[in-house]
Amino acid sequence: MKVEEQLSHYFFRQISSQHLSHAYIFSGDNLQAKNTVIESLIQAMVCPNFSEVGQPCCQCNECQRVIDNQISDVLYLEPDGRNIKVDQIRELRNWLNRSPVEFDFKIAIIHQADLMNPSASNALLTILEEPNSEIYIILDVIEVDSLLPTIRSRAQNIIFTNYFQDDFSDVQIAKNYQKILSLLPGTTSQVLREFDPVELEEWFKGLNEFYQLLLTKSPLAFALIPIRMKSILTTQKIDLGLDYLTLLNHQSLLHTFSNSTKKSVSLNWLQAIIEKHAISTQDLLAINQQLIEAKEYLNANVSSQLVLERIVLNLIK
């Protein structure tokens, strides 16, 4: 199966289960595959036959209009000259703030998103910081590292290449998360290694963003749970997630002790937040206590969503 077929079917499953994330990064050099997946994704969202067969029919009027770029609730943004300017992102925000015309969603595809100038990147970040269940954004880039770390932490990265490998999942896991997985408890690490690579990416991204909002004591953390983290709100995934959040918090504590000689994971986005917001040891210890209590509540059969909401309410007052 080609990479575009595999990823298209992944998105079909996400749409069927209502677990589509609000922001994605399509990285890599396989432009044809990206365009195919984008087209299939939009068709799945508008096709009236999708709910019956689990994929777009590609024959109905709506599917054909997607091919012809005639869906008014879909916007394609291209560089204006050599880069994407802040005014273009401001216009995008205004467009997103208006209600959908035909369907119950809006989707924006930003091609060559790595050409955003600094002002445009910061303007886009303000959009991503306020997730909306009706809005979806796709950032098309060659290298994911060309985007700001704060943007990368708020979007799920989908990797496209010009070839397909049978061991694609192992390659992707090794590249992105192998070191982190090795530091997690043995059972947790073993279960996570069995996740689909795209599913694992989504799990990490949701938890990274949640932890970032906890660190900065942002009220958006509460709104994030039913929207950005919707796809991981199962008892198993949150149980594993609490182990990962504990690891992140431990890494944060290590970073606050400049003389520490203990081994820590290189998480540039995490270190930048700690330094920018002057996160104190007391703040981190408070988070640690809430994570311990969260485990106890989860083991007592409290719902995963309520467990996360309790963490937010106790830390962000």
Side-chain angles (χ1 to χ4, degrees):
M1 181 182 293
K2 294 182 179 180
V3 64
E4 56 264 42
E5 294 175 356
Q6 183 190 46
L7 290 175
S8 291
H9 283 284
Y10 165 76
F11 280 113
F12 297 161
R13 294 194 300 271
Q14 296 300 98
I15 294 171
S16 294
S17 60
Q18 298 183 347
H19 287 161
L20 201 63
S21 294
H22 77 104
Y24 291 94
I25 300 169
F26 282 13
S27 63
D29 54 3
N30 194 336
L31 301 181
Q32 181 178 354
K34 289 181 184 180
N35 290 332
T36 298
V37 172
I38 289 171
E39 183 176 284
S40 296
L41 168 61
I42 298 171
Q43 285 180 324
M45 296 177 73
V46 303
C47 180
N49 303 310
F50 177 81
S51 60
E52 297 180 9
V53 296
Q55 62 184 29
C57 69
C58 300
Q59 302 296 324
C60 66
N61 179 59
E62 287 81 359
C63 284
Q64 291 300 311
R65 287 174 57 211
V66 172
I67 296 174
D68 296 332
N69 293 333
Q70 293 180 352
I71 303 296
S72 58
D73 294 318
V74 177
L75 178 69
Y76 293 89
L77 194 153
E78 305 274 355
D80 181 9
R82 294 185 177 181
N83 55 33
I84 295 175
K85 300 177 175 61
V86 65
D87 287 344
Q88 291 179 269
I89 302 300
R90 288 171 179 163
E91 291 175 4
L92 170 64
R93 172 185 277 278
N94 292 335
W95 180 79
L96 291 173
N97 285 338
R98 294 193 292 268
S99 298
V101 176
E102 297 183 77
F103 301 95
D104 59 355
F105 70 90
K106 281 193 168 186
I107 181 168
I109 299 94
I110 305 179
H111 287 299
Q112 295 180 272
D114 48 334
L115 295 183
M116 287 187 294
N117 63 31
S119 297
S121 294
N122 289 325
L124 177 65
L125 181 59
T126 63
I127 297 175
L128 297 178
E129 287 176 336
E130 302 173 0
N132 185 313
S133 60
E134 297 178 349
I135 292 174
Y136 304 95
I137 297 175
I138 296 175
L139 306 177
D140 172 19
V141 299
I142 300 297
E143 297 288 342
V144 67
D145 290 341
S146 63
L147 297 172
L148 291 176
T150 44
I151 289 179
R152 298 200 302 267
S153 70
R154 287 171 169 80
Q156 181 181 342
N157 184 28
I158 308 294
I159 301 174
F160 291 77
T161 62
N162 276 325
Y163 57 89
F164 181 76
Q165 296 172 304
D166 291 335
D167 59 347
F168 176 74
S169 60
D170 293 336
V171 171
Q172 188 169 354
I173 291 173
K175 181 178 180 181
N176 294 337
Y177 302 118
Q178 196 65 261
K179 189 172 183 179
I180 295 176
L181 290 174
S182 69
L183 294 178
L184 286 166
T187 303
T188 300
S189 177
Q190 182 178 358
V191 174
L192 289 172
R193 290 174 192 274
E194 296 175 357
F195 277 25
D196 177 273
V198 182
E199 181 184 18
L200 183 65
E201 179 86 18
E202 184 174 0
W203 182 86
F204 271 115
K205 291 291 186 182
L207 292 166
N208 285 346
E209 188 170 352
F210 181 67
Y211 184 69
Q212 179 174 332
L213 294 176
L214 289 182
L215 278 180
T216 58
K217 298 183 179 179
S218 171
L220 289 174
F222 199 90
L224 176 86
I225 296 169
I227 299 176
R228 177 71 171 86
M229 303 181 72
K230 181 169 59 175
S231 65
I232 64 173
L233 287 178
T234 66
T235 299
Q236 182 200 42
K237 289 184 177 180
I238 294 304
D239 187 36
L240 298 169
L242 291 173
D243 289 338
Y244 176 56
L245 292 173
T246 300
L247 172 63
L248 286 179
N249 206 54
H250 178 64
Q251 298 299 316
S252 299
L253 281 166
L254 287 179
H255 184 71
T256 61
F257 296 106
S258 58
N259 294 327
S260 175
T261 58
K262 292 185 178 181
K263 182 180 180 182
S264 71
V265 180
S266 176
L267 295 168
N268 294 331
W269 64 269
L270 182 57
Q271 296 169 8
I273 292 169
I274 293 171
E275 294 170 1
K276 179 180 179 180
H277 296 274
I279 307 298
S280 69
T281 302
Q282 184 177 358
D283 293 329
L284 297 174
L285 291 176
I287 293 176
N288 193 68
Q289 180 60 36
Q290 290 304 315
L291 294 175
I292 293 173
E293 293 180 10
K295 272 279 190 180
E296 295 173 353
Y297 277 92
L298 197 65
N299 290 335
N301 294 323
V302 177
S303 77
S304 55
Q305 181 167 337
L306 288 178
V307 166
L308 295 182
E309 289 175 349
R310 182 180 182 277
I311 294 175
V312 176
L313 290 173
N314 288 336
L315 291 174
I316 304 173
K317 301 177 181 178

